[in-house]
Amino acid sequence: MQLLSSLFAGLALLAHGAFATNFTGDVLNGVPVISNLDLSTVPAQNISRYYLRVGELNGGSPLHIPVIVARGTPESLETGKKLSLSAAIHGDELNGVRVVQRIFDQLKGQVATLNGTVIGIPTVNPLGIYLNQRNYFTAADSGFFTNVNRVFPGAPSSEGGNGARLLAYNIWNNVWGNKTQVDVGLDLHTPSTGAETSLWCYADFRLPYVERLAKLLQPDTLKIDVGEPGSIETTFVDNEIPSITVEMGQAKVWNASLIDRVYDFINRVMDDLRIIPSNSTEAYVPDLSHTYIANTFHSNPSTYGGFVERLVQADEPLTKGQPIANIRNVFGDVLETILSPADGKMFSSPRDPSIEPGGNAGQIAYNSTDPKCADGCIF
């Protein structure tokens, strides 16, 4: 009997080790490097930092991304919720980085009693950050750029996945555990370089709890939307994991007021999921008095190359036919005046005055009565 007990104990240990967090043995900036994350082997009641090895660059240099885990009480891995926070999948969209940093700084004082787990990836796309632009650079065919937020859940290199797809594959499988290690996902963005908005989000209301997440944000604009194939948000939603894409301000800046608002939002989510201690027994009622809920975004292309003169600022209300921008040539002549296609809101306004033919002179948010747009449209 004692022999059988020892055998079963040994098998249990082997089984546990087979799924344990895999440390490569490397240390980067004093932080251990891993090739996969298993939450059950992350220390409970502790905040742990790792670098996940996500592949190599041409020439063989390794590529890593930072991963932070706040794991609560031992039992909370089963009884509590698992929340993922990701930021900077586009390398010029940096407001979310500071939000993730602040959340984990706060959790240092709460992790001992945390009822759940929070996973943070503050910089999903290190190459984009290095190059000061949104995409991931791959060296094949003399170099090209890939939008990583269109290739999830990715593909391994053994199946022809390039660097961007391998990055997505390793995050999806080796951090999020092919959906098993996440219950709710929040992906933090800003608009692309050259555009200006306030705080808004994409939300696919067809999945339960997504509408609740979007309204907890208390955004300036809430876009009902089915999402983009291959994005983090859509990949989560396709796998029945509630998720929204949060867009905050402008690229390449840290906007303190928007960082504060999203930091408060994530605390509302952690409270709603009962991850952090709460003094309230009632669900939070979002304040949507300043939120514009829309099902349609409409871009307004310029016919000419030239310079955009903004006539309406971001978040201002619009009426159909109202001038929103002039397109001027190098001599200052007005080549074209762009008109609003509908009553609505000036959702996104160009900050970069130079524009090429077909470039967006401003994006309008409004509510279409077309049944095809009930779940969201983008024109």
Side-chain angles (χ1 to χ4, degrees):
M1 188 68 179
Q2 184 175 1
L3 179 61
L4 285 175
S5 298
S6 299
L7 177 61
F8 286 135
L11 289 173
L13 183 61
L14 286 172
H16 181 73
F19 295 99
T21 296
N22 185 10
F23 291 86
T24 68
D26 298 324
V27 176
L28 182 61
N29 298 326
V31 176
V33 176
I34 61 175
S35 59
N36 76 286
L37 177 72
D38 177 2
L39 291 179
S40 69
T41 60
V42 173
Q45 298 175 294
N46 192 58
I47 291 181
S48 301
R49 296 179 177 182
Y50 307 102
Y51 275 106
L52 178 77
R53 181 157 178 165
V54 291
E56 297 82 35
L57 305 177
N58 61 313
S61 298
L63 184 65
H64 304 86
I65 61 169
V67 178
I68 318 169
V69 181
R71 185 180 165 192
T73 61
E75 65 277 7
S76 70
L77 191 59
E78 301 298 330
T79 61
K81 297 294 185 182
K82 299 180 285 291
L83 174 66
S84 170
L85 308 175
S86 52
I89 193 170
H90 295 140
D92 56 345
E93 302 180 8
L94 303 177
N95 270 324
V97 176
R98 185 61 188 133
V99 175
V100 176
Q101 292 171 344
R102 285 186 56 189
I103 286 294
F104 279 90
D105 189 54
Q106 168 194 319
L107 291 175
K108 290 177 184 177
Q110 298 174 310
V111 70
T113 58
L114 209 63
N115 179 37
T117 306
V118 183
I119 302 172
I121 309 177
T123 53
V124 171
N125 181 4
L127 276 186
I129 295 173
Y130 173 71
L131 294 171
N132 198 31
Q133 56 85 46
R134 68 189 272 111
N135 296 309
Y136 184 105
F137 178 79
T138 52
D141 301 320
S142 298
F144 64 92
F145 292 98
T146 301
N147 183 346
V148 187
N149 208 35
R150 299 295 182 270
V151 301
F152 272 82
S157 53
S158 60
E159 297 177 7
N162 64 12
R165 292 182 180 275
L166 181 60
L167 170 67
Y169 177 86
N170 280 318
I171 292 172
W172 179 255
N173 290 281
N174 296 331
V175 177
W176 295 329
N178 191 13
K179 78 181 181 181
T180 63
Q181 300 198 125
V182 180
D183 294 312
V184 173
L186 304 176
D187 192 31
L188 309 182
H189 291 244
T190 78
S192 301
T193 295
E196 178 184 22
T197 68
S198 51
L199 179 62
W200 61 282
C201 67
Y202 289 115
D204 188 346
F205 280 13
R206 298 174 299 174
L207 184 67
Y209 197 63
V210 169
E211 181 176 353
R212 173 71 174 165
L213 282 176
K215 291 181 176 179
L216 283 171
L217 178 60
Q218 300 174 173
D220 299 300
T221 302
L222 194 167
K223 173 62 167 70
I224 300 171
D225 195 78
V226 297
E228 291 282 354
S231 69
I232 287 177
E233 173 205 347
T234 302
T235 306
F236 274 139
V237 170
D238 286 346
N239 285 273
E240 305 297 317
I241 297 172
S243 178
I244 64 172
T245 298
V246 178
E247 304 270 1
M248 40 195 307
Q250 299 177 48
K252 299 184 181 180
V253 298
W254 271 0
N255 182 309
S257 63
L258 294 183
I259 289 170
D260 286 346
R261 288 178 67 183
V262 177
Y263 170 82
D264 291 342
F265 155 65
I266 293 173
N267 270 285
R268 288 192 290 271
V269 172
M270 292 192 295
D271 179 83
D272 206 56
L273 297 174
R274 295 296 184 258
I275 292 175
I276 58 175
S278 176
N279 295 322
S280 175
T281 58
E282 298 181 359
Y284 179 83
V285 179
D287 178 5
L288 302 178
S289 59
H290 300 290
T291 298
Y292 184 79
I293 301 177
N295 64 15
T296 301
F297 281 171
H298 195 125
S299 296
N300 294 274
S302 171
T303 305
Y304 307 96
F307 300 89
V308 180
E309 177 187 21
R310 300 194 300 174
L311 304 178
V312 180
Q313 303 300 310
D315 283 340
E316 289 188 18
L318 294 170
T319 57
K320 185 176 181 179
Q322 178 179 343
I324 64 170
N326 289 325
I327 308 300
R328 295 184 179 271
N329 64 16
V330 292
F331 300 103
D333 304 321
V334 175
L335 303 177
E336 181 180 21
T337 297
I338 308 294
L339 307 179
S340 175
D343 293 344
K345 177 182 181 179
M346 188 67 186
F347 160 68
S348 175
S349 181
R351 292 287 296 178
D352 184 349
S354 64
I355 194 168
E356 62 185 347
N360 185 13
Q363 197 168 38
I364 311 304
Y366 64 93
N367 280 289
S368 172
T369 57
D370 187 337
K372 295 180 181 178
C373 292
D375 295 319
C377 285
I378 297 180
F379 299 120

